[in-house]
Amino acid sequence: MTYDYDLFIMGAGSAGAAAASKAASLGLRVAVAEQEALGGTCLNRGCIPKKLIVYAADFALHNKIAPDYGWSKSSSHFNWTQFIRSVHKQIDRINTSYKERFEKNGITLLRGHATFIDAHTIKVDEHKVSADKILIAVGARPFIPDIPGIEYAITSREMFHLPYLPKRLAIIGGGYIGVEFASMMNALGCRVTVIDTSETILEGFDDDIRKSLQESLSKRGVKFINNSTATEIKHYEEGLLLTVSGKYKKTIAADSILVATGRAPNTEKLDLDNAQVEMGEKNAIKVDEYSRTNQENIFAVGDCTNRLQLTPAAKSEAVAFVNTIFANHTETVNYNEIPSAVFARPEIASMGMTENQARSKFGDSVKCYSNKFQPLMHQLASTEEQVIIKVVVEGESERVIGIHMLGEHAADIIQCLGVAIRKGITKQDLDEAIAIHPTTAEEFLTLD
Ligand SMILES: Cc1cc2nc3c(=O)[nH]c(=O)nc-3n(C[C@H](O)[C@H](O)[C@H](O)COP(=O)(O)OP(=O)(O)OC[C@H]3O[C@@H](n4cnc5c(N)ncnc54)[C@H](O)[C@@H]3O)c2cc1C
Ligand SMILES: NC(=O)c1ccc[n+]([C@@H]2O[C@H](COP(=O)([O-])OP(=O)(O)OC[C@H]3O[C@@H](n4cnc5c(N)ncnc54)[C@H](O)[C@@H]3O)[C@@H](O)[C@H]2O)c1
């Protein structure tokens, strides 16, 4: 049987684009269907525009301490409309580079919505194509809880298209998205309230780190309502009213309400039944460690499989899939080795086990080294800004199994240390390394 393509990919987000480039580099005939802009969530409505807003918000935070560094106080005005226009121009430039890369690598791009006709045939709008292997890389979308008035709320997607900055912003959900937007919108001058069902924000991160981040954001003016959930949204003449219940019962007035309660796989409109592809929990595509579905020629990677919804995870799964299936090089993704960060201010980042995870796995053989200090920049400015670093080690050799940080440049520092930790370094290796002084990162080398 001959097919139009060796590999057909549904979705040109982080995962789909990475798989397409890798497969094309092996000389395969590759086609990709994309119904929206190339680059998917990360480029168009996720990591990239988010990080640009983080940079914009950093100016506001630096302006606050600038007088301590000799700058005279000056009034400054932030123009959100102008700024967000620049953000979208930058995204358009990157979109164009994606398109050029596809053309250069001989990847066929089919614009439209892809659905299954059978296990080897796909329809992209009205265009029918066949392929030997099919990769589902359709990503995820915001999960919207079913509460009365939820239609008045917006998601992270709309946050990047706000016509103006809301004065009062309520955020349902204190996970990655809720906390990042709380931090940047607070810095830009919004009055922010975060409602979360958990005792502390950012479940999954080390307890010391997430508690300290919640405290730091509270000191900056973000209000947190924990152990609670949103139960109703109503429209009134001056904006929106959000009813909260649980440990705290309140009504909050807001101009905008952001719902950030997780992301649901985009698996509903693919006609998966036509190819008899099985779904798992939460409508995710069910896959094995090689990203194989129950159909031998159909695979799935990225957010639609709901393993770890991060861009580097999506890309690694995509490359591992291509290497395993087409390059005769079996590869799986080690999820314990994937670092992650929350781009709040202060920033947090971590890799490996939290203290609790380590203690429940290894018991008393676990030891933690930590330090809390005021970073140099903030000593002169006399702000309360803190840095916390924590290293989790195990056994007599004191092998490092987890590193965690709150504070400036946390993501960049953990990224670099992560390379060494992946190679199995010990606490002694950290102690013996020579520092760059004066830096924040050097504190990892002098823990006792
Ligand atoms: C606000 C926000 C901030 C984030 N920040 C970070 C961060 O800082 N760092 C990080 O690592 N991760 C971050 N993420 C997560 C990251 O964006 C995702 O994990 C990543 O984009 C997943 O890639 P993917 O390829 O699986 O899915 P996507 O990037 O969502 O790509 C899927 C693509 O498939 C297309 N598609 C869907 N169905 C079809 C169909 N039937 N036919 C054709 N095309 C289809 C979609 O249009 C989309 O372009 C963030 C997410 C959000 C929402
Ligand atoms: N910096 C990054 O790497 C980054 C940034 C943004 C998003 N992401 C990815 O996107 C995913 C989705 O982000 P997210 O923040 O939407 O999800 P999340 O899973 O990180 O957090 C959801 C939060 O919402 C809370 N919640 C759930 N239902 C609720 C309710 N009804 N009322 C109040 N609180 C409720 C949960 O307790 C949780 O804290 C993340 O898990 C992450 O993988 C990553």
Side-chain angles (χ1 to χ4, degrees):
M1 175 88 191
T2 54
Y3 299 105
D4 299 332
Y5 296 100
D6 300 313
L7 174 64
F8 186 92
I9 302 171
M10 293 173 149
S14 304
S21 297
K22 185 76 198 168
S25 76
L26 298 176
L28 298 167
R29 296 171 304 147
V30 182
V32 183
E34 176 52 62
Q35 62 189 10
E36 293 193 71
L38 297 180
T41 305
C42 180
L43 171 59
N44 298 288
R45 46 194 175 273
C47 333
I48 301 300
K50 179 272 304 290
K51 193 80 190 273
L52 293 172
I53 305 178
V54 170
Y55 291 141
D58 278 348
F59 285 99
L61 297 175
H62 279 124
N63 281 349
K64 278 194 183 148
I65 58 168
D68 294 303
Y69 276 85
W71 293 90
S72 51
K73 272 200 177 140
S74 61
S75 65
S76 51
H77 172 72
F78 175 64
N79 186 329
W80 167 265
T81 316
Q82 188 186 323
F83 161 68
I84 210 73
R85 215 180 288 133
S86 307
V87 169
H88 288 288
K89 269 196 193 148
Q90 176 59 17
I91 290 170
D92 289 346
R93 277 193 283 271
I94 306 178
N95 275 139
T96 309
S97 71
Y98 263 77
K99 194 165 164 276
E100 287 166 356
R101 185 154 35 108
F102 273 34
E103 281 166 6
K104 193 170 147 237
N105 294 341
I107 299 162
T108 305
L109 176 63
L110 300 168
R111 297 278 189 179
H113 180 78
T115 51
F116 279 100
I117 293 179
D118 61 42
H120 284 283
T121 322
I122 306 106
K123 197 166 77 165
V124 182
D125 289 344
E126 293 316 312
H127 188 74
K128 223 160 119 184
V129 290
S130 64
D132 182 16
K133 307 269 187 303
I134 297 172
L135 179 67
I136 308 171
V138 292
R141 61 179 186 286
F143 168 77
I144 313 280
D146 183 18
I147 59 167
I150 194 70
E151 64 278 11
Y152 294 121
I154 57 173
T155 68
S156 53
R157 195 178 177 115
E158 290 78 47
M159 286 298 288
F160 300 114
H161 295 275
L162 283 175
Y164 53 85
L165 272 181
K167 284 201 174 74
R168 301 162 300 176
L169 173 68
I171 301 178
I172 310 172
Y176 281 82
I177 294 178
V179 170
E180 289 183 338
F181 274 111
S183 169
M184 41 197 177
M185 291 296 148
N186 163 265
L188 292 174
C190 304
R191 293 212 306 272
V192 181
T193 307
V194 177
I195 299 102
D196 194 82
T197 40
S198 307
E199 175 79 32
T200 312
I201 56 171
L202 289 167
E203 212 161 336
F205 280 86
D206 190 86
D207 284 350
D208 290 341
I209 302 287
R210 63 197 188 107
K211 277 182 198 150
S212 300
L213 177 58
Q214 181 162 332
E215 277 165 27
S216 298
L217 287 169
S218 301
K219 281 183 192 151
R220 291 213 167 122
V222 177
K223 291 200 169 62
F224 288 94
I225 306 177
N226 293 100
N227 294 312
S228 303
T229 184
T231 46
E232 188 175 25
I233 302 173
K234 277 187 180 157
H235 195 265
Y236 79 121
E237 59 279 13
E238 284 170 48
L240 300 168
L241 282 178
L242 174 68
T243 308
V244 174
S245 61
K247 185 168 179 187
Y248 301 97
K249 292 187 178 30
K250 278 178 193 267
T251 303
I252 299 159
D255 302 300
S256 298
I257 298 173
L258 165 64
V259 56
T261 49
R263 290 176 58 78
N266 273 330
T267 49
E268 274 156 14
K269 294 180 186 149
L270 301 178
D271 291 339
L272 287 169
D273 286 351
N274 291 344
Q276 286 159 11
V277 173
E278 261 181 38
M279 297 218 281
E281 276 177 40
K282 297 186 177 171
N283 284 350
I285 310 248
K286 204 165 150 187
V287 286
D288 67 10
E289 60 183 323
Y290 300 106
S291 298
R292 235 185 326 233
T293 69
N294 60 312
Q295 296 298 322
E296 62 172 10
N297 71 310
I298 302 178
F299 303 79
V301 288
D303 281 7
C304 66
T305 61
N306 209 9
R307 286 174 280 186
L308 185 59
Q309 293 184 328
L310 297 176
T311 289
K315 286 183 173 176
S316 303
E317 288 161 7
V319 171
F321 150 73
V322 176
N323 281 338
T324 303
I325 302 303
F326 298 109
N328 216 6
H329 179 263
T330 305
E331 226 177 274
T332 56
V333 175
N334 182 348
Y335 293 90
N336 297 327
E337 288 181 348
I338 299 180
S340 85
V342 178
F343 297 97
R345 294 296 181 253
E347 188 163 278
I348 66 168
S350 91
M351 177 169 158
M353 290 191 193
T354 64
E355 181 174 350
N356 282 345
Q357 286 166 344
R359 289 202 189 285
S360 50
K361 182 157 184 198
F362 297 111
D364 289 343
S365 67
V366 169
K367 196 170 168 193
C368 289
Y369 293 89
S370 63
N371 191 7
K372 183 174 181 176
F373 56 94
Q374 196 181 22
L376 180 62
M377 186 186 193
H378 290 270
Q379 289 172 16
L380 189 142
S382 305
T383 63
E384 290 184 47
E385 195 77 21
Q386 295 288 321
V387 172
I388 298 177
I389 59 177
K390 185 167 180 180
V391 175
V392 184
V393 303
E394 187 269 324
E396 255 177 53
S397 68
E398 298 206 317
R399 182 174 57 104
V400 179
I401 55 171
I403 38 169
H404 310 278
M405 176 171 174
L406 169 141
E408 55 187 26
H409 314 306
D412 292 273
I413 293 169
I414 296 293
Q415 172 75 90
C416 295
L417 278 175
V419 178
I421 283 152
R422 224 185 130 242
K423 291 289 171 197
I425 60 159
T426 62
K427 169 71 170 53
Q428 196 180 340
D429 292 318
L430 284 174
D431 296 342
E432 287 173 4
I434 297 171
I436 297 178
H437 180 73
T439 59
T440 307
E442 69 178 307
E443 300 296 331
F444 274 103
L445 314 183
T446 54
L447 288 167
D448 42 40

